[in-house]
Amino acid sequence: MTTYRPLAKLAAALAGAAVLSASLSVQAREIAVSTVLSDAFPWGQAAEKWAELVEERTDGRITMRVYPNSQLVNGDQTREFSAMRSGLIDAAVGSTINWSPQVPELNLFSLPFFLPDEAAVDAVTGGEAGERIFAAIESRDVIPLGWGENGFRQLSNSRGAIDEPEDLEGLKIRVVGSPLFQDTFDALGADPTQMSWADAKPALTTGAVDGQENPLSVFDVARIDQVGQEHLTLWNYMNDPLIFAVNRQVWESLDESDQTMLREAAVEAGEWEKAMTRKEESERLAAIQERGVTVTELSDAQYDAFVEATSSVHDEWVPKIGAEIVEAARVAIESR
């Protein structure tokens, strides 16, 4: 019998290794992450940073695979939140604009001329209003983990300089699929046209629309100046924070230590991306101007004219967003 003992030990060792391998395989996890833009943009870089931190901190036990360009929702960015809510998407770094049709409270950030500067954005997201918004998202079976930034949105067009509301009269402006954007540009006398970003650049190329609104990072990286957008107005009319979030079932399938790690990585990735986006803003503007784009900056009086022209939008939308959230945001802005 002693002749076969080494073989028996070897068999036992192999069996043990197989069990260990199977155990490690079961523990390994891939999480699919949706984003609208690729890593050529700060938005996509935020998702990649989150994935990098998670893989690093779990030694590859948890990997986050990023799917840019709204691949997981066939290019329809407004379906991202509902797809994550239903479990078709595990996680996302998403836009408050794109998620607002399903989470009305997120329209807070799209109220025209409500957030005057970056300090105001930070005060709102970091205060009571931000907490209330995260609670609203969580009540819809999506767990929000941290904030990022797509930035203040600026207006470009192919017709001429815009520095007063009357300049927008009759201009066809591409807007995202959110009713609040439709109402804002209606109030300004423009002709807003809703379409996905995938359709926007071809429409600008053909002249089907005259203008669009986006952060400088999108204008710069996507080279929107190459499709006739020769006039850019810096009006900071609304801001688009990004949110790192996970489907509730995916979240609850993780143990507490992994949940903590995932949240901390999201917060860190968000802070990293916000700092990068803000630092690069002036460089992007300079690059855009060097390419021959005419940049218009509003005086205080001109800015106030746009505020006045869109006041009716606030009257209509504050009740839909929630008066308490809006008031909490106002207090945060005033005390920033």
Side-chain angles (χ1 to χ4, degrees):
M1 296 293 291
T2 55
T3 305
Y4 300 101
R5 190 168 297 161
L7 293 176
K9 287 183 177 180
L10 178 59
L14 290 173
V19 169
L20 177 60
S21 177
S23 174
L24 290 173
S25 177
V26 168
Q27 292 177 13
R29 183 74 176 271
E30 181 175 287
I31 296 174
V33 184
S34 174
T35 66
V36 169
L37 297 178
S38 72
D39 62 4
F41 301 83
W43 187 342
Q45 291 166 24
E48 293 290 352
K49 183 68 171 180
W50 190 21
E52 175 189 316
L53 291 173
V54 168
E55 184 165 2
E56 183 181 281
R57 292 173 185 181
T58 62
D59 294 321
R61 181 172 51 82
I62 298 177
T63 59
M64 304 187 83
R65 184 176 178 186
V66 179
Y67 292 84
N69 304 317
S70 305
Q71 292 178 52
L72 299 180
V73 285
N74 296 318
D76 185 355
Q77 58 217 55
T78 60
R79 288 180 50 227
E80 186 177 66
F81 185 86
S82 56
M84 181 166 45
R85 184 180 187 181
S86 67
L88 294 176
I89 291 176
D90 295 334
V93 179
S95 156
T96 54
I97 297 170
N98 292 334
W99 294 1
S100 63
Q102 291 81 38
V103 187
E105 292 85 351
L106 290 174
N107 285 297
L108 173 73
F109 301 101
S110 297
L111 279 175
F113 306 101
F114 181 66
L115 295 160
D117 51 37
E118 290 165 348
V121 177
D122 292 342
V124 171
T125 57
E128 181 188 343
E131 292 174 0
R132 285 177 176 269
I133 286 170
F134 268 23
I137 294 171
E138 190 164 345
S139 72
R140 292 167 172 84
D141 292 327
V142 170
I143 310 300
L145 304 178
W147 296 95
E149 183 164 277
N150 198 24
F152 280 101
R153 298 175 78 91
Q154 316 299 357
L155 177 68
S156 74
N157 83 101
S158 59
R159 296 291 190 87
I162 293 174
D163 60 19
E164 59 183 5
E166 289 74 16
D167 292 333
L168 275 160
E169 190 69 37
L171 285 187
K172 292 182 179 179
I173 305 294
R174 174 266 172 181
V175 296
V176 298
S178 166
L180 177 47
F181 281 70
Q182 184 86 29
D183 290 348
T184 296
F185 281 90
D186 279 341
L188 291 168
D191 180 8
T193 304
Q194 294 184 1
M195 62 178 64
S196 70
W197 180 240
D199 296 329
K201 203 167 182 182
L204 292 167
T205 302
T206 62
V209 293
D210 301 310
Q212 61 84 52
E213 47 76 55
N214 255 308
L216 287 184
S217 61
V218 175
F219 189 99
D220 182 30
V221 177
R223 294 302 303 270
I224 297 177
D225 52 289
Q226 292 183 337
V227 290
Q229 299 295 286
E230 300 172 353
H231 303 276
L232 178 67
T233 298
L234 303 181
W235 64 344
N236 284 14
Y237 87 114
M238 56 82 61
N239 192 278
D240 183 23
L242 302 176
I243 298 175
F244 296 71
V246 181
N247 163 270
R248 180 181 292 280
Q249 288 184 328
V250 171
W251 179 254
E252 292 179 349
S253 72
L254 300 170
D255 63 34
E256 188 174 342
S257 63
D258 281 341
Q259 289 178 347
T260 299
M261 177 277 304
L262 205 63
R263 188 186 300 275
E264 289 177 348
V267 170
E268 185 174 328
E271 292 300 318
W272 171 85
E273 186 264 343
K274 279 190 285 186
M276 175 186 65
T277 299
R278 294 174 183 183
K279 180 181 178 182
E280 293 177 346
E281 193 84 343
S282 60
E283 297 171 10
R284 292 192 187 282
L285 180 58
I288 290 167
Q289 288 177 302
E290 286 174 7
R291 296 200 295 265
V293 175
T294 300
V295 175
T296 299
E297 297 189 51
L298 303 180
S299 67
D300 289 345
Q302 289 170 331
Y303 182 89
D304 289 344
F306 281 101
V307 172
E308 177 63 27
T310 55
S311 61
S312 61
V313 181
H314 286 241
D315 295 338
E316 181 179 351
W317 278 88
V318 166
K320 297 177 183 179
I321 295 165
E324 291 183 353
I325 287 179
V326 176
E327 181 57 28
R330 281 201 181 101
V331 170
I333 292 168
E334 290 171 0
S335 60
R336 72 191 185 282

